[in-house]
Amino acid sequence: MTERKDDRLWGGRFEREPNKQFDAFQRCFAFDRRLLLYEIAVDRAWAKALEPVGIFTAAEVKQTLASLDKISERAKTDSAWLESFGATAEDVHHFVEKALVEELGSLGWKLHTGRSRNELVATDFRLFVIDAAAEIQRGLGALLNSFLLQAKANVSVPMAGMTHMQHAQPILLSHFLLAHAEAFARDITRLQHAAASADACPMGSGALAGNSFAIDRNAIARELGFSRITANSLDGVSDRDFALDYLFALTGIATHLSRLAEDFVIFASQEFSYVILPDDFSTGSSLMPQKKNPDAWELIRGKTGRITGALVSLLTTLKGLPTSYQRDLQEDKEALFAAHDQVADMLGVAAGAVAATKFNTERLKSAASNPALLATEAADYLVRKGVPFRQAHDIVGKVLRDAEKQNISWTALPLESLKRLSPAFEADFSRSLSVDAALSSKKVPGGTAPESVADAIANLERRLNKKAIKTGAKP
Ligand code: ARG
């Protein structure tokens, strides 16, 4: 056997060295080193699979596994080595091969038998996405828990529910908080979907055509914790739908966080004063001593653009690709890693800020007691007395107009004036007009009546206690 003189992964047919600038341009260890432990796990599975097909002897498998363990241990503990040795590696696959050859000599070159970096990177990346989705599920679990605590602590606080940012009907603050919680609970389903779409092992796809050593693909998949193998080798090396699914799930989370942020920024303004910003999640102004700014929420809202950007970036990378592996696919990682890190941080900060926020219950109650919020109740009252709704709506509109003309609150109009507009108004009308009555009337499942909200709290608590959310386990 002719010994190789250099440690490159390719180059036998090349006469000239790569251009320096291009060489730096095509290297990716700086970011794909994040896949190192997955790469080593795949290498272990591959080494084992090479024995039954006669490429490795049992002793060679043993030696290779021992070296891979050593490399993994060193990578975890010796950051100086990771830096210096990594600087000489083209990518994470090259890094492990070089380290293996240092350990084992030419035996290290045998591991790459019948396989390609194209399938390796797809497999590593899938494993990353599965773990990443589980981590984000745990972050969502913590945020949902903050909502649950606040919803429980504020069960009896009414607020002015709004549509079009105009006072509409009274609701419970807990109901408002649980609305956000529902959105984040849906995100868990999206993450589970992304993890399920990543859960197929491409190893055995080769560079594009498959494997010629009759490697046991299912055994490799099982060894790595995948529940299935990919169905087509060309698709196996080029499918990045799992990454798109994950980025879409992250974009959904960021969008929900951004909407939550918007609510809290508005509620913290002097005009609303619904929430008291926690000192530990706010900053001051270098100029205006009185300021306490909702920076945690503003930054969460601001960072959302990057997450959406990462999704659009990958969609754009993928849209023009011919079938099979193309080097463009190397561009799938950096934006996804960054989006994952940002969303993990955003969730952590949001969970802390929601839990630490104090609600100005007096302000919320006083806004809820705006009589205008009860106009629909008045129309519903007339409906119960047999007036068709459209007519009832019109009558109440006239009541409001009369009160406005007299410059008094419409709830202060005497029964006689009301009776002039409709004989259906009776003595029990004024009793039916209260925030409490309005709230308790909404007792459908999913409504804002105290009983319905208590059920919703119990329901969220049950879902949170389910193992899937707590641990981010596969569904
Ligand atoms: N670094 C590449 C990527 O991230 C994997 C290796 C590509 N294969 C190749 N033949 N250049 O997609």
Tab-separated table of all heavy atoms in Angstrom, residues 28 32 91 93 117-118 121 240 325 327 329-330 332-333, ligand 1:
chain	number	residue	atom	x	y	z
A	28	CYS	N	-15.456	24.957	6.630
A	28	CYS	CA	-16.614	25.226	7.497
A	28	CYS	C	-16.451	24.695	8.911
A	28	CYS	O	-17.416	24.663	9.669
A	28	CYS	CB	-17.891	24.692	6.854
A	28	CYS	SG	-17.794	22.943	6.458
A	32	ASP	N	-19.258	24.104	11.600
A	32	ASP	CA	-19.843	22.754	11.702
A	32	ASP	C	-19.194	21.930	12.818
A	32	ASP	O	-19.628	20.808	13.103
A	32	ASP	CB	-19.891	22.016	10.344
A	32	ASP	CG	-18.547	21.516	9.842
A	32	ASP	OD1	-17.543	21.647	10.568
A	32	ASP	OD2	-18.512	20.986	8.707
A	91	ASP	N	-13.425	20.535	7.518
A	91	ASP	CA	-14.762	20.494	8.111
A	91	ASP	C	-14.762	19.476	9.249
A	91	ASP	O	-13.721	18.874	9.553
A	91	ASP	CB	-15.833	20.158	7.048
A	91	ASP	CG	-15.543	18.853	6.305
A	91	ASP	OD1	-14.828	17.991	6.855
A	91	ASP	OD2	-16.028	18.700	5.173
A	93	HIS	N	-15.921	16.553	9.419
A	93	HIS	CA	-15.628	15.176	8.992
A	93	HIS	C	-14.112	14.987	8.849
A	93	HIS	O	-13.557	13.974	9.262
A	93	HIS	CB	-16.339	14.867	7.658
A	93	HIS	CG	-17.682	15.517	7.551
A	93	HIS	ND1	-18.753	15.102	8.295
A	93	HIS	CD2	-18.117	16.591	6.831
A	93	HIS	CE1	-19.795	15.878	8.024
A	93	HIS	NE2	-19.428	16.789	7.138
A	117	ARG	N	-19.261	12.396	2.789
A	117	ARG	CA	-19.574	13.503	3.697
A	117	ARG	C	-20.997	14.009	3.457
A	117	ARG	O	-21.604	14.595	4.334
A	117	ARG	CB	-18.569	14.636	3.506
A	117	ARG	CG	-17.207	14.334	4.087
A	117	ARG	CD	-16.291	15.508	3.950
A	117	ARG	NE	-15.867	15.709	2.571
A	117	ARG	CZ	-15.269	16.807	2.125
A	117	ARG	NH1	-15.046	17.823	2.944
A	117	ARG	NH2	-14.889	16.916	0.866
A	118	ASN	N	-21.480	13.779	2.244
A	118	ASN	CA	-22.840	14.256	1.936
A	118	ASN	C	-23.881	13.608	2.852
A	118	ASN	O	-24.789	14.266	3.342
A	118	ASN	CB	-23.190	13.960	0.478
A	118	ASN	CG	-22.217	14.617	-0.485
A	118	ASN	OD1	-21.385	15.428	-0.063
A	118	ASN	ND2	-22.299	14.278	-1.764
A	121	VAL	N	-23.076	14.649	6.745
A	121	VAL	CA	-23.522	15.961	7.223
A	121	VAL	C	-25.042	15.970	7.371
A	121	VAL	O	-25.583	16.537	8.330
A	121	VAL	CB	-22.998	17.110	6.326
A	121	VAL	CG1	-23.741	17.218	4.998
A	121	VAL	CG2	-23.068	18.421	7.081
A	240	ARG	N	-33.531	18.829	3.001
A	240	ARG	CA	-33.360	19.675	4.180
A	240	ARG	C	-34.719	20.141	4.700
A	240	ARG	O	-34.817	21.132	5.404
A	240	ARG	CB	-32.485	20.895	3.857
A	240	ARG	CG	-31.038	20.566	3.513
A	240	ARG	CD	-30.267	19.982	4.699
A	240	ARG	NE	-28.870	19.730	4.383
A	240	ARG	CZ	-28.400	18.618	3.821
A	240	ARG	NH1	-29.227	17.632	3.507
A	240	ARG	NH2	-27.109	18.477	3.577
A	325	TYR	N	-26.944	16.092	-3.892
A	325	TYR	CA	-26.186	17.005	-3.035
A	325	TYR	C	-25.532	18.108	-3.855
A	325	TYR	O	-24.959	17.848	-4.918
A	325	TYR	CB	-25.092	16.244	-2.258
A	325	TYR	CG	-24.296	17.196	-1.383
A	325	TYR	CD1	-24.785	17.563	-0.136
A	325	TYR	CD2	-23.121	17.781	-1.837
A	325	TYR	CE1	-24.110	18.488	0.649
A	325	TYR	CE2	-22.435	18.698	-1.055
A	325	TYR	CZ	-22.941	19.047	0.192
A	325	TYR	OH	-22.269	19.961	0.959
A	327	ARG	N	-23.096	21.790	-3.086
A	327	ARG	CA	-22.334	22.414	-2.000
A	327	ARG	C	-23.088	23.583	-1.361
A	327	ARG	O	-22.808	23.966	-0.225
A	327	ARG	CB	-20.967	22.869	-2.513
A	327	ARG	CG	-19.970	23.273	-1.426
A	327	ARG	CD	-19.574	22.082	-0.528
A	327	ARG	NE	-18.703	22.477	0.557
A	327	ARG	CZ	-17.378	22.560	0.482
A	327	ARG	NH1	-16.767	22.237	-0.641
A	327	ARG	NH2	-16.657	22.928	1.517
A	329	LEU	N	-25.637	23.435	-0.017
A	329	LEU	CA	-26.273	22.925	1.201
A	329	LEU	C	-25.438	23.189	2.459
A	329	LEU	O	-25.955	23.132	3.565
A	329	LEU	CB	-26.579	21.432	1.043
A	329	LEU	CG	-27.709	21.135	0.043
A	329	LEU	CD1	-27.776	19.657	-0.284
A	329	LEU	CD2	-29.050	21.608	0.612
A	330	GLN	N	-24.168	23.480	2.262
A	330	GLN	CA	-23.330	23.840	3.414
A	330	GLN	C	-23.861	25.106	4.094
A	330	GLN	O	-23.591	25.360	5.263
A	330	GLN	CB	-21.880	24.050	2.942
A	330	GLN	CG	-20.909	24.366	4.058
A	330	GLN	CD	-19.469	24.221	3.586
A	330	GLN	OE1	-19.055	23.144	3.192
A	330	GLN	NE2	-18.726	25.304	3.610
A	332	ASP	N	-26.753	25.652	5.000
A	332	ASP	CA	-27.969	25.386	5.785
A	332	ASP	C	-27.761	25.554	7.288
A	332	ASP	O	-28.729	25.635	8.037
A	332	ASP	CB	-28.478	23.951	5.494
A	332	ASP	CG	-27.433	22.877	5.848
A	332	ASP	OD1	-26.321	23.214	6.296
A	332	ASP	OD2	-27.727	21.682	5.647
A	333	LYS	N	-26.485	25.589	7.724
A	333	LYS	CA	-26.239	25.420	9.151
A	333	LYS	C	-26.163	26.711	9.976
A	333	LYS	O	-26.806	26.812	11.028
A	333	LYS	CB	-24.954	24.609	9.363
A	333	LYS	CG	-25.146	23.142	9.021
A	333	LYS	CD	-23.885	22.346	9.125
A	333	LYS	CE	-23.099	22.250	7.846
A	333	LYS	NZ	-23.841	21.849	6.643
B	1	ARG	N1	-19.353	20.641	4.456
B	1	ARG	C1	-20.365	20.096	3.636
B	1	ARG	C2	-21.767	20.555	4.064
B	1	ARG	O1	-21.912	21.108	5.089
B	1	ARG	C3	-20.357	18.610	3.670
B	1	ARG	C4	-19.339	18.028	2.789
B	1	ARG	C5	-19.655	18.291	1.409
B	1	ARG	N2	-19.211	17.329	0.501
B	1	ARG	C6	-18.352	17.593	-0.483
B	1	ARG	N3	-18.132	16.724	-1.303
B	1	ARG	N4	-17.757	18.752	-0.574
B	1	ARG	O2	-22.739	20.355	3.374
